[in-house]
């Protein structure tokens, strides 16, 4: 059996164990998949790539050890994008660029287990894919979700002055785990980096109650809220002492912790805005925290903090304005920008 | 301006020049795209990856020179998969893993021009994407098409004994151009490798008149017809002297030419089966040629030609059976399999 057949066998076997919903007329195995769509539904589509050495370790021993988590995460990060529109995830397609050293039954089986575990958890079906050989591991997943006819999608462009800003879960755990992998394992943060939880139910609930803007935090709160500022043509005031913090991270040095929470990335929490008279959904599983307010756009292009292409939120700590250079302990942030895909 | 912003600027500018159809509610620039769907439509989805050094040259000078063609081809190969289902292409998402040396305005602009040129030719909109840094150029495109409620999709699994086998266009040009790039330029075959023509109108017409099985030829006719044999549980008799051949390729040595036509790949023509009483569509742009017949499955697993996991068509040349080792001139085909993604 060649590697090509091996991959097909593993994926077709695991797919047949999937309970494909009735409306998947054709899944894996033809030129394309075919899905019957509910009347009036709108289609929500995205694509996201994980690259070895960027989104997970370049080290082959780590890549071997993390096969399950890599499969899981490739699904989760795309499902998170669908959730951030307020849509319900439906199906995914996988483009796998696979190095020869990973094209073995053990790695592929663990990877597929992680991928199908995520599919089952998030209610999506793997309906198609493509495998090619490459020198490093690169995974592109395209996800599709559905929005009912009467549910508006929540864009980045709808935030209004006076809206309150909220974020789900806790921030900074994944960034800290990436920066300090040995410490992170001890204090149980590693899973937050390797197996993030997309906030599907929260996203859908927010679309229904009238959230004005929403984004999933993949590149760090500071940069991602900046996208809402830019596309909604608003400013933001962010209160750093209100950022939701996990118990393990609460013990970390304040400046280091805030840097992870603002600029670390990989949180896959939802940041969103709601009119002041609408209360956010209450859930035991997915806490939601008020972190600031949408304010009018101030054109202060001369200030050091705002002299970037993307407008950024104004930062306050216990009522005092904070810039990347002033005052201590924030003065260790010379390049507060958020995760840069092209850094390094 | 960093590279990230450069890419956004180039793509957003070119996208705004696209005439997005009314039903794209949200294109590039949010967590995901949103599309309103026609009532009763079914969604057809696929994903395909082009890897530097596999699907186009590893040589940086070539990659620089071919920027336009690479952008075009990334769209065309996916549109071809949608066409092979009988569906009408609608939209694409692009995951671009980009090496630092290509992240400059000149290369990106040429690449985007080729991509949007293909989008316009094939009537698809670029609705989303993702850019990451990698060591070599890797492009994953996910395409979406639509099938009207009353049009059946054409799968690989519907071929019936007695059906006739047809193929569109001419075969082998791209494979020959890949193997002999210097000669190919002289005899005008290079464009068939770099800028293939997906057969959209033919695919849609075939779904309407009742084609029983269809596949696009990306890995070589021999292997791709094998997928129809396997999934339809039928055999095939293929008449090699009937394979459609372009004028430049007709002058090539017979054995070399047939090898390119059977096992070369990258044709992006449609191979399909029709009941004997249904005539194929006639078009000046897209000739269609009868190349063989669907026959009952013969379980000859001891024969050398059939001792592969995927069942393959039986080959005949001027009425005589041909195997990869007998007779001459076919005896130079020791490994007649079709393009292997994992070869090399």
């Amino acid at each position: 059996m060649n590697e090509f057949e091996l991959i097909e066998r593993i994926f077709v076997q695991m797919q047949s164990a999937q309970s494909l919903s009735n409306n998947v007329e054709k899944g894996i195995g033809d030129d394309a998949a075919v899905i019957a769509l509910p009347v009036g539904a709108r289609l929500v589509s995205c694509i996201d790539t994980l690259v070895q050495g960027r989104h997970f370790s370049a080290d082959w021993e780590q890549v071997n050890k993390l096969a399950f988590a890599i499969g899981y995460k490739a699904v989760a990060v795309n499902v998170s994008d669908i959730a951030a529109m307020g849509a319900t995830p439906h199906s995914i397609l996988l483009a796998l660029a696979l190095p020869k050293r990973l094209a073995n039954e053990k790695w592929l089986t663990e990877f597929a287990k992680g991928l199908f575990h995520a599919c089952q958890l998030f209610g999506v079906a793997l309906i198609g894919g493509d495998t090619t050989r490459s020198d490093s591991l690169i995974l592109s997943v395209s996800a599709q979700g559905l929005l009912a006819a009467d549910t508006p999608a929540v864009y980045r462009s709808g935030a209004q002055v006076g809206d309150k800003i909220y974020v789900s879960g806790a921030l900074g755990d994944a960034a800290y785990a990436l920066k300090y992998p040995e410490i992170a394992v001890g204090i149980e943060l590693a899973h937050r980096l390797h197996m993030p939880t997309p906030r599907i139910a929260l996203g859908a609930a927010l679309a229904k109650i009238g959230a004005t803007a929403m984004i999933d935090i993949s590149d760090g709160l500071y940069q991602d809220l900046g996208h809402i500022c830019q596309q909604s043509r608003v400013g933001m005031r962010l209160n750093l002492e209100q950022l939701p913090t996990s118990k393990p991270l609460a013990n970390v040095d304040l400046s280091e912790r805030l840097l992870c929470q603002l600029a670390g990335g990989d949180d896959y929490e939802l940041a969103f805005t709601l009119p002041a008279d609408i209360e956010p959904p209450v859930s035991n599983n997915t806490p939601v925290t008020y972190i600031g307010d949408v304010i009018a756009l101030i054109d202060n292009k001369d200030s050091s903090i705002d002299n970037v292409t993307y407008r950024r939120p104004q930062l306050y700590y216990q009522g005092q304005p904070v810039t990347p250079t002033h005052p201590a302990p924030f003065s260790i942030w010379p390049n507060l920008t958020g995760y840069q895909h092209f850094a390094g």
Side-chain angles (χ1 to χ4, degrees), chain A:
Chain A
M1 184 181 300
N2 67 31
E3 300 158 276
F4 204 41
E5 293 155 10
L6 177 67
I7 289 166
E8 184 172 311
R9 185 171 61 77
I10 291 171
F11 277 86
V12 169
Q13 269 179 5
M14 289 202 191
Q15 188 206 27
S16 64
Q18 278 189 126
S19 52
L20 283 184
S21 72
N22 298 339
N23 58 3
V24 178
E25 294 183 3
K26 190 80 182 180
I28 294 175
D30 217 297
D31 293 286
V34 181
I35 298 163
L37 295 158
V39 173
R42 279 162 307 151
L43 177 69
V44 178
S45 309
C46 63
I47 195 164
D48 228 341
T49 302
L50 301 184
V51 178
Q52 183 179 3
R54 302 267 151 195
H55 302 88
F56 51 89
S57 178
D59 180 69
W60 290 106
E61 201 183 315
Q62 284 295 310
V63 171
N64 263 315
K65 215 164 69 181
L66 290 174
F68 184 94
I70 291 168
Y72 172 98
K73 192 168 177 179
V75 180
V77 301
N78 278 281
V79 164
S80 179
D81 276 325
I82 299 292
M85 303 302 285
T88 302
H90 178 278
S91 44
I92 60 162
L93 301 112
L94 167 69
L96 179 61
L98 188 70
K100 196 173 176 64
R101 62 194 301 166
L102 300 180
N104 60 71
E105 180 146 14
K106 185 163 179 287
W107 192 88
L108 285 167
T109 302
E110 274 308 296
F111 168 76
K113 276 186 188 168
L115 186 132
F116 282 102
H117 176 67
C119 284
Q120 193 170 24
L121 270 181
F122 310 137
V124 299
L126 177 71
I127 57 168
D130 175 51
T131 309
T132 48
R133 168 60 48 80
S134 73
D135 296 326
S136 55
L137 179 63
I138 302 188
L139 306 147
S140 289
V141 169
S142 176
Q144 305 180 140
L146 296 173
L147 262 172
D150 57 351
T151 307
V154 186
Y155 298 147
R156 297 173 177 178
S157 53
Q160 301 287 330
V161 175
D163 286 352
K164 290 183 166 184
I165 308 164
Y166 299 86
V167 70
S168 67
L171 297 176
D173 294 350
Y176 190 82
L178 184 66
K179 208 165 173 181
Y180 304 103
E182 284 82 18
I183 303 175
V185 170
I187 59 176
E188 295 186 356
L189 285 179
H191 72 285
R192 294 268 293 159
L193 172 63
H194 298 311
M195 297 186 63
T197 304
R199 303 299 191 178
I200 303 171
L202 176 63
L206 286 165
K208 288 200 177 67
I209 66 171
T212 48
M214 179 150 57
I215 192 167
D216 83 318
I217 308 171
S218 53
D219 298 337
L221 180 71
Y222 187 59
Q223 177 173 311
D224 287 327
L225 281 182
H227 292 308
I228 295 184
C229 290
Q230 192 200 22
Q231 295 190 30
S232 299
R233 299 174 185 273
V234 295
M236 285 184 178
R237 175 186 166 131
L238 209 58
N239 305 315
L240 298 184
E241 73 280 5
Q242 293 173 8
L243 296 186
T245 305
S246 69
K247 276 183 189 163
L249 210 66
N251 299 319
V252 168
D253 166 72
L254 177 67
S255 176
E256 177 73 56
R257 191 247 289 174
L258 285 173
L259 192 59
C260 286
Q261 295 184 301
L262 286 173
D266 258 347
D267 290 303
Y268 300 104
E269 298 293 349
L270 294 177
F272 55 95
T273 56
L274 278 173
D277 61 347
I278 298 182
E279 287 298 312
V282 177
S283 151
N284 290 332
N285 295 325
T286 311
V288 159
T289 307
Y290 162 62
I291 58 170
D293 299 276
V294 178
I295 57 176
L297 193 59
I298 306 163
D299 192 4
N300 56 347
K301 59 185 168 194
D302 291 333
S303 100
S304 63
I305 196 171
D306 232 17
N307 193 10
V308 286
T309 302
Y310 297 99
R311 192 156 295 282
R312 295 283 189 268
Q314 309 293 316
L315 305 180
Y316 287 78
Y317 187 73
Q318 296 179 340
Q320 298 302 310
V322 167
T323 77
T325 52
H326 180 83
F330 310 109
S331 47
I332 66 156
W333 300 350
N335 291 305
L336 178 66
T337 52
Y339 179 78
Q340 291 289 309
H341 293 271
F342 285 109

